[in-house]
Amino acid sequence: TCLPLNKAHLMSKASDASVSSSKAVTVLTYLHGVREAVNAIPEIQAAGHDVDLIELRSLKPLDLETIRESLSRTHKLCILDESTQSGGVGASISALVGEELFDELDAPVRRLCMDDAPVPYAASMEKAVVKRGSDLIEAVRDAVAMSVRAEAEKPKDENSYQQVLDGAFGDRLDKKLRAVIMLAYHKLMSSDGVDKPDKFKSRAQRC
């Protein structure tokens, strides 16, 4: 049986406990990065985190639905990439996720890619250029820490939301614009019978 090349493969799924505690991260990778990521999972889990590890069997077409399904659980993304920082595969995927799945993200996309330089022939020098499992472990930790910090710092009610606006803009924020922002806040936070995911409420509060 031939595998569908246009579908990504979920190699490892983060535990429900890590998802509910916001300690799960979606990891996208391919080729050499797959082995590095698989080998890094035990250490990631030992640190109290977990990952949805997705192998990208096809880069074009990109299986955006599998990525969407994972991000709807984790809301954090790391890309372990073999290409360069500028104009590489990770840059294209990151841009597409930002365009299509921005509302699923609670933290910036972390790209683990090569520097904009040729890959050295010497193995010792190659290690300094190509990202490894150790880099992924650190990136997962940082992504979780950033998400937890944002959750702790977000405003809890309307008064604290007003304080955020005052602190960010002071008297420079036009009254009409402030009214529009607060109207959007009330619409997102109101109990009008429409089920609004927490991520939208969180994003409105962190505006």
Side-chain angles (χ1 to χ4, degrees), residues 6-185:
N6 63 327
K7 295 294 293 182
H9 175 44
L10 180 60
M11 301 187 65
S12 179
K13 188 174 183 178
S15 66
D16 292 337
S18 66
V19 171
S20 61
S21 61
S22 298
K23 293 184 177 181
V25 178
T26 297
V27 174
L28 305 181
T29 190
Y30 58 98
L31 299 178
H32 172 75
V34 174
R35 183 182 64 181
E36 292 290 330
V38 168
N39 292 339
I41 288 179
E43 189 168 344
I44 290 173
Q45 293 174 335
H49 308 142
D50 209 346
V51 298
D52 273 3
L53 176 57
I54 298 177
E55 177 189 7
L56 300 175
R57 290 174 171 168
S58 168
L59 299 178
K60 188 174 180 64
L62 183 67
D63 184 4
L64 205 59
E65 286 307 310
T66 296
I67 299 173
R68 185 195 308 273
E69 183 178 348
S70 176
L71 283 179
S72 69
R73 301 173 66 244
T74 68
H75 306 296
K76 294 174 285 295
L77 177 62
C78 290
I79 304 174
L80 183 56
D81 182 17
E82 292 188 29
S83 60
T84 54
Q85 184 175 21
S86 299
V89 171
S92 297
I93 294 175
S94 179
L96 187 59
V97 169
E99 292 170 358
E100 302 291 337
L101 306 176
F102 177 76
D103 287 327
E104 299 291 356
L105 295 173
D106 281 348
V109 176
R110 299 299 303 270
R111 286 195 293 135
L112 308 174
C113 49
M114 295 194 307
D115 297 331
D116 293 333
V119 180
Y121 180 78
S124 58
M125 296 179 66
E126 179 184 338
K127 290 181 180 179
V129 176
V130 180
K131 301 305 181 188
R132 306 285 177 171
S134 57
D135 299 296
L136 178 61
I137 294 169
E138 182 177 348
V140 168
R141 181 196 64 199
D142 291 345
V144 171
M146 182 175 294
S147 177
V148 171
R149 184 168 60 251
E151 180 70 19
E153 293 176 351
K154 74 179 183 181
K156 299 298 188 292
D157 52 37
E158 181 177 343
N159 289 334
S160 57
Y161 186 78
Q162 290 275 17
Q163 292 174 4
V164 169
L165 292 179
D166 292 338
F169 301 102
D171 296 332
R172 293 179 291 116
L173 186 61
D174 182 84
K175 290 183 179 180
K176 291 183 179 180
L177 179 56
R178 180 186 292 272
V180 170
I181 293 175
M182 291 308 300
L183 177 61
Y185 169 80

